[in-house]
Amino acid sequence: MGILDSLENSAAFKGALGQLEGAVLPVVLSEMLGNGSQGGLSAIVAKLQQAGLGDQVKSWLGNGQNLPITAEQLQQVLGSDTVKQLAARFNIPVDQIAKVLAQQLPAAVDHASPDGTLPHTA
């Protein structure tokens, strides 16, 4: 195990990453899901459905457990360039931002659709 491996597995490093995610994630999500380049939450949901991820999206909109989406799936739907631009803008590694967004997107959609549908302004 190298020095980078031990750093990556350290509680302090993971805690720092968690703080970074907590501080930057709301800004990244608002950029991505708001009126940013992706066209808002409704447009991202539509892209996910068109990409064959309709079952996941339905689970986020409905009641019950949210099905996961992988960082790779999200990166394919959004496009590598978009993910790279977000990563560069917020100075976060591409793989890390894709992973965090994949973890948080289901909850964001779920929260924005308490009655099972997204408002037209989302």
Side-chain angles (χ1 to χ4, degrees), residues 9-116:
N9 292 321
S10 78
F13 182 73
K14 288 180 181 179
L17 270 181
Q19 288 177 344
L20 175 67
E21 291 170 8
V24 175
L25 184 62
V27 177
V28 173
L29 280 174
S30 67
E31 172 74 19
M32 189 178 107
L33 303 177
N35 293 324
S37 63
Q38 292 298 312
L41 189 55
S42 296
I44 293 172
V45 165
K47 286 181 183 183
L48 291 167
Q49 289 171 324
Q50 291 168 359
L53 299 169
D55 288 341
Q56 283 91 334
V57 171
K58 284 180 192 173
S59 75
W60 306 342
L61 294 171
N63 295 325
Q65 184 176 1
N66 293 333
L67 294 176
I69 184 172
T70 67
E72 293 80 18
Q73 289 171 319
L74 186 59
Q75 194 163 348
Q76 285 177 347
V77 171
L78 296 178
S80 293
D81 288 343
T82 299
V83 176
K84 287 177 186 174
Q85 288 171 0
L86 286 168
R89 180 170 178 178
F90 297 101
N91 200 25
I92 300 173
V94 171
D95 61 334
Q96 187 67 29
I97 198 166
K99 180 179 151 192
V100 171
L101 291 173
Q103 290 171 348
Q104 296 301 316
L105 185 60
V109 173
D110 194 17
H111 183 72
S113 61
D115 63 352

